[in-house]
């Protein structure tokens, strides 16, 4: 498998193709708008341009797709469906677990192999071969083991089991954690900015001097919370949920007082209140996980 085809030349697709070219693979690329193969510099690095999906599939046995969405994945491969048999398809297109399972079933029904993946890195990290790039994979373990050395050029590989949807689930879980940080960051900076005329502290100073050190300290507590969730023992040695109800209510009130929306904090406020009302007032905040099922 020294030959590879990359379908999709968005920012991430370009990074994937550049990386494989840099490590010596004969790399074929396909994109709905063929001009991107030239503007991205890939043709200048001797990438081969496939003018049709069938041509791209026939150029290699290992096929990587990084497209807009799951519908684009199926529409694209559908154009070369007769050339799918015998190919190993690695889908790095963002989607949901159920979409991954559906696509896996569809691809394997055409006589091809399917591995689903999630990229936990930005394009520059992939293109440069950053040691901090990580990719999640799931699907047939035998297939994954056979191609892992080829996937390892993109970053650290983490195999998450035979369910094709597992990589998507964990990808979205990690993104959820990221967006939680972003929402907290935005709410915190909006509150701090409301007092800038009195403090003279810029947003950058607030973040570097106060917020980042505080969040760094709090992330050290996450492993302890995870142990509580695994064990089901939510006994706290610090501030219990009953105490935190008042603290979060104060955040909501203070936000409204200075004209900052409390939209980011209200969801956890409601969950904390519910946990306290249902007998978990003396527990640690990790107990909130028990109240995160979808209410019927």
């Amino acid at each position: 498998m020294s030959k590879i085809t990359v379908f999709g030349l968005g920012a991430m697709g370009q990074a994937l193709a550049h990386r494989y070219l840099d490590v010596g693979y004969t790399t074929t690329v396909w994109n709905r708008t063929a001009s991107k193969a030239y503007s991205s510099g890939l043709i200048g690095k001797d990438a081969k341009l496939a003018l049709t999906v069938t041509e791209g599939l026939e150029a290699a046995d290992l096929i990587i797709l990084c497209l807009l969405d799951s519908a684009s994945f199926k529409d694209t491969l559908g154009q070369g469906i007769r050339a799918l048999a015998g190919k190993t398809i690695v889908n790095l297109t963002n989607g949901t677990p159920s979409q991954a399972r559906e696509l896996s079933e569809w691809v394997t029904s055409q006589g091809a192999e399917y591995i689903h993946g999630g990229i936990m890195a930005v394009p520059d990290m992939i293109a440069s071969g950053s040691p901090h790039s990580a990719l999640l994979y799931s699907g047939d373990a035998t297939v994954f083991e056979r191609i892992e050395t080829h996937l390892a050029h993109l970053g650290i590989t983490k195999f998450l089991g035979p369910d094709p949807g597992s990589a998507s689930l964990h990808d979205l879980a990690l993104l959820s954690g990221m967006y939680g940080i972003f929402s907290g960051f935005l709410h915190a900076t909006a509150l701090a900015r409301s007092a800038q005329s009195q403090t003279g502290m810029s947003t950058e100073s607030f973040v570097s001097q106060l917020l980042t050190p505080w969040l760094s300290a709090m992330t050290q507590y996450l492993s302890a919370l995870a142990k509580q969730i695994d064990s089901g023992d939510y006994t706290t040695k610090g501030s219990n949920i009953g105490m935190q109800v008042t603290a979060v209510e104060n955040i909501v009130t203070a936000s409204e007082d200075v004209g900052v929306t409390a939209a980011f904090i209200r969801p956890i406020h409601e969950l904390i209140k519910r946990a306290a009302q249902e007998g978990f007032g003396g527990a640690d905040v990790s107990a909130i996980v028990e109240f995160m099922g979808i209410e019927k």
Side-chain angles (χ1 to χ4, degrees):
M1 286 188 178
S2 60
K3 297 180 179 179
I4 197 164
T5 297
V6 176
F7 282 83
L9 295 179
M12 186 59 79
Q14 291 177 31
L16 297 169
H18 276 293
R19 180 61 181 155
Y20 278 112
L21 284 166
D22 288 344
V23 295
Y25 281 69
T26 299
T27 305
T28 300
V29 296
W30 176 93
N31 194 67
R32 183 174 57 84
T33 306
S35 59
K36 275 194 175 182
Y38 294 92
S39 62
S40 63
L42 290 166
I43 299 302
K45 288 173 71 171
D46 293 330
K48 302 177 185 303
L49 176 62
L51 297 179
T52 67
V53 171
T54 296
E55 187 179 335
L57 289 170
E58 291 177 343
D61 289 330
L62 181 57
I63 312 295
I64 293 182
L65 293 96
C66 189
L67 301 170
L68 176 63
D69 52 29
S70 293
S72 300
F73 175 94
K74 197 168 183 178
D75 288 346
T76 297
L77 289 188
Q79 297 174 42
I81 197 165
R82 293 187 178 181
L84 262 177
K87 305 299 179 180
T88 301
I89 306 297
V90 179
N91 185 12
L92 299 180
T93 303
N94 187 266
T96 68
S98 59
Q99 289 170 336
R101 296 181 192 110
E102 178 186 342
L103 293 175
S104 176
E105 184 176 343
W106 179 74
V107 167
T108 54
S109 72
Q110 308 303 321
E113 300 170 329
Y114 184 90
I115 293 292
H116 199 85
I119 304 173
M120 309 312 301
V122 297
D124 284 349
M125 293 169 66
I126 295 294
S128 65
S130 168
H132 302 295
S133 297
L135 291 90
L136 314 177
Y137 299 99
S138 59
D140 188 312
T142 301
V143 174
F144 175 75
E145 289 170 4
R146 195 181 75 247
I147 66 173
E148 184 178 10
T149 55
H150 305 287
L151 299 178
H153 293 298
L154 303 177
I156 297 168
T157 63
K158 180 66 176 177
F159 184 68
L160 295 169
D163 175 9
S166 182
S168 281
L169 178 69
H170 288 80
D171 177 17
L172 296 174
L174 292 174
L175 289 175
S176 177
M178 179 192 74
Y179 284 115
I181 292 173
F182 287 171
S183 65
F185 161 81
L186 292 168
H187 191 183
T189 53
L191 282 173
R193 194 170 66 157
S194 72
Q196 272 184 357
S197 61
Q198 286 79 38
T199 65
M201 178 176 280
S202 67
T203 298
E204 184 177 4
S205 295
F206 167 72
V207 170
S208 63
Q209 296 174 24
L210 297 175
L211 184 60
T212 297
W214 168 246
L215 292 180
S216 296
M218 288 301 96
T219 56
Q220 302 305 309
Y221 191 42
L222 295 181
S223 60
L225 295 179
K227 288 180 181 178
Q228 292 173 356
I229 292 170
D230 282 338
S231 68
D233 180 359
Y234 300 114
T235 303
T236 181
K237 296 180 180 179
S239 298
N240 61 37
I241 284 176
M243 297 169 62
Q244 295 195 43
V245 169
T246 300
V248 179
E249 285 175 348
N250 288 338
I251 296 173
V252 173
T253 301
S255 298
E256 293 171 342
D257 287 347
V258 297
V260 171
T261 179
F264 281 141
I265 201 71
R266 284 192 187 280
I268 196 168
H269 182 215
E270 294 303 317
L271 287 168
I272 286 176
K273 287 195 298 182
R274 182 182 167 201
Q277 291 165 359
E278 298 195 23
F280 284 80
D284 210 332
V285 68
S286 54
I288 293 173
V289 75
E290 301 292 347
F291 300 88
M292 295 187 68
I294 297 176
E295 295 187 54
K296 304 298 183 182

